[in-house]
Amino acid sequence: MVLLMESWQVKYWLCGLALCLAAQIGCGAVEQTLFHETSDVASQAQQERQRAASKALARVLVRVSGTRNVLQNESVRSALASADRYLEQYSYRRLDAADRPPFELVMNFQPQATTDILRRANEPVWSARRPAILAWIELGEGGARQVVSSLATAPSDSMASWAALVEEEARRRGLPVVLPSRSQVLALGGAGGGGNVAEIARQQGAQIVLGGDLRLAGGRCDAEWNMVVDGQASQWRFAQQDQRECVAKAMDNGAEALSARYAFAADSGGKEPVMVQVDGIGTFEQYTGVLLMLQGLAVVDQVGIHSAGGGRVRFSVALKGELEQLRQGIRMQRLLVESDRQPDIVAPPPPPPPPPPPPAAVEPAAGGAVGVPAPPVESVAAGPAVAPVESSPVLYYHLQGGASQLSAMAPADA
């Protein structure tokens, strides 16, 4: 099958491929406020709070899992019926806007208890350690084209509204989306400038590029979106949508695509542990950084130490998902570089035992028979020592991150 793409799509695809190949780029491990929600309410009555909490918890569960499909699970729906049980704290804020109810209910849900809803239902959980996404969105209206820049650097109220909309919809789905600054947009020549978007992504600490081509007319929007992950492009087209839907559908599709890669159900199913061998670990800080990185991956259930020595550490990793998903997760962190198999560091074999002494001469026994004593047990020569055969798969890496990158590593929330 031949994949046909417009020139703007080719630019983003090449940009994404460059990001995947550039080993020096850091993974934008952006921690999201996944468990925080707000809702407008008419009163502070308990029944009103329970209704709002149920809807808010549904949004949180979609955000934590990465997929709307979890709301079809009966176990999850049962939890929504008693959503206020999962509240860690809540408060009310009085609103003075004429077009809104009088109160805003501010809710924080308990991270562990909320995540356990998904685990008990055997639904996926997407780690809070998520790759940062650069959104490069070009708007066309009446022959003019502009790029949506960050809210702080937006050149007009209209563009600021677009930036706020992108940030709001990205947060709704738990996507760590960043927008280019105005100066970065101008440096690349603006919309259609043909500049190196990958360089902007590097500057923003983003690994994924989400490109949007939005054409506006009469308050409606026709949109083409393109997202590149590990060199694979996803494309979506929406016609005659309102402006919010143009952005919201892109964030929905992006979250669903990414969670399919990086979110995992809790049940590891008794999978055989994987050995992750890392060379080049020379300090305790480096060892700790690699350990925390592995523990923070959503696909990882547990991490243990199999062996260590000579600048090499072999980690025993129990998985919730598949081996390839572990590879993808490690690749996203940009801390380790996969390498060819390295020879094992083993101790030299022990020298062979000395030969047994010759049989001792004995006097003939009665009846003329000659007795030969059996050799002592310890003198029986055993065969050569054989190292135990490891059936676990082994992934081989070497450390490439510096101390500053390792210092920034921290365990994920979920």
Side-chain angles (χ1 to χ4, degrees):
M1 180 180 70
V2 178
L3 179 64
L4 299 178
M5 292 188 282
E6 302 292 337
S7 60
W8 71 275
Q9 294 171 325
V10 172
K11 177 172 69 175
Y12 296 130
W13 186 88
L14 292 174
C15 167
L17 184 59
L19 291 175
C20 294
L21 296 177
Q24 67 270 25
I25 185 173
C27 174
V30 180
E31 300 292 336
Q32 292 291 304
T33 309
L34 299 177
F35 302 93
H36 176 80
E37 269 295 334
T38 62
S39 180
D40 290 355
V41 292
S43 73
Q44 298 185 29
Q46 181 180 7
Q47 188 175 9
E48 184 83 1
R49 185 181 70 246
Q50 289 173 338
R51 279 197 299 265
S54 178
K55 294 178 181 179
L57 180 58
R59 294 192 293 270
V60 167
L61 291 173
V62 169
R63 195 155 55 234
V64 173
S65 67
T67 176
R68 292 165 293 188
N69 295 336
V70 297
L71 300 182
Q72 305 304 315
N73 187 298
E74 286 299 326
S75 177
V76 171
R77 294 170 71 161
S78 176
L80 295 178
S82 54
D84 54 337
R85 290 175 45 200
Y86 300 95
L87 284 172
E88 186 172 65
Q89 62 182 18
Y90 66 89
S91 62
Y92 292 91
R93 187 168 69 92
R94 182 174 289 279
L95 303 175
D96 295 325
D99 58 342
R100 294 178 63 181
F103 300 101
E104 181 182 59
L105 175 59
V106 181
M107 295 163 280
N108 288 315
F109 289 90
Q110 303 171 47
Q112 187 61 55
T114 304
T115 304
D116 285 345
I117 295 173
L118 297 170
R119 298 193 193 281
R120 287 194 301 268
N122 199 30
E123 291 289 352
V125 175
W126 189 5
S127 169
R129 190 188 298 277
R130 301 181 179 186
I133 303 165
L134 173 69
W136 184 271
I137 304 172
E138 300 185 3
L139 304 178
E141 185 174 18
R145 293 183 66 80
Q146 299 184 72
V147 176
V148 179
S149 58
S150 63
L151 184 59
T153 64
S156 65
D157 290 344
S158 173
M159 296 304 290
S161 297
W162 275 101
L165 175 59
V166 170
E167 292 179 2
E168 180 182 343
E169 291 300 324
R171 183 207 166 273
R172 178 178 61 84
R173 290 306 303 260
L175 296 178
V177 167
V178 294
L179 290 165
S181 69
R182 181 66 176 163
S183 61
Q184 289 172 329
V185 171
L186 294 176
L188 264 65
N196 186 2
V197 179
E199 178 58 30
I200 302 300
R202 290 189 188 95
Q203 294 171 9
Q204 295 278 17
Q207 186 172 348
I208 296 172
V209 173
L210 175 64
D213 183 14
L214 281 58
R215 296 173 297 280
L216 311 176
R220 309 299 288 177
C221 173
D222 293 337
E224 297 183 38
W225 292 90
N226 184 71
M227 184 175 71
V228 181
V229 183
D230 284 342
Q232 298 182 2
S234 300
Q235 301 171 36
W236 315 292
R237 296 186 178 188
F238 312 123
Q240 290 299 298
Q241 304 289 319
D242 65 41
Q243 294 181 3
R244 179 172 290 276
E245 282 298 307
C246 258
V247 175
K249 287 187 174 182
M251 299 303 167
D252 285 336
N253 288 4
E256 297 286 336
L258 291 173
S259 67
R261 283 174 169 266
Y262 304 119
F264 309 98
D267 183 14
S268 62
K271 293 180 182 294
E272 188 177 36
V274 175
M275 298 296 164
V276 176
Q277 180 172 298
V278 183
D279 283 295
I281 295 180
T283 67
F284 181 75
E285 181 188 30
Q286 291 172 335
Y287 157 76
T288 304
V290 175
L291 179 63
L292 291 177
M293 182 273 289
L294 292 173
Q295 290 175 335
L297 298 177
V299 69
V300 170
D301 187 20
Q302 295 180 354
V303 181
I305 307 302
H306 177 270
S307 58
R312 172 179 298 172
V313 179
R314 181 171 284 194
F315 299 89
S316 176
V317 182
L319 299 181
K320 304 172 189 174
E322 303 301 325
L323 181 63
E324 183 56 33
Q325 294 166 328
L326 174 62
R327 279 197 175 100
Q328 290 176 358
I330 293 175
R331 194 159 55 240
M332 293 295 287
Q333 297 302 312
R334 301 296 179 187
L335 182 62
L336 305 178
V337 177
E338 197 159 4
S339 58
D340 296 331
R341 176 171 182 161
Q342 302 295 319
D344 291 335
I345 299 176
V346 296
V362 296
E363 294 295 329
V370 177
V372 180
V377 173
E378 59 270 19
S379 70
V380 176
V386 179
V389 177
E390 279 188 354
S391 59
S392 300
V394 183
L395 302 182
Y396 298 91
Y397 293 91
H398 66 266
L399 180 67
Q400 74 157 4
S404 61
Q405 183 177 355
L406 286 168
S407 299
M409 303 295 294
D413 289 342

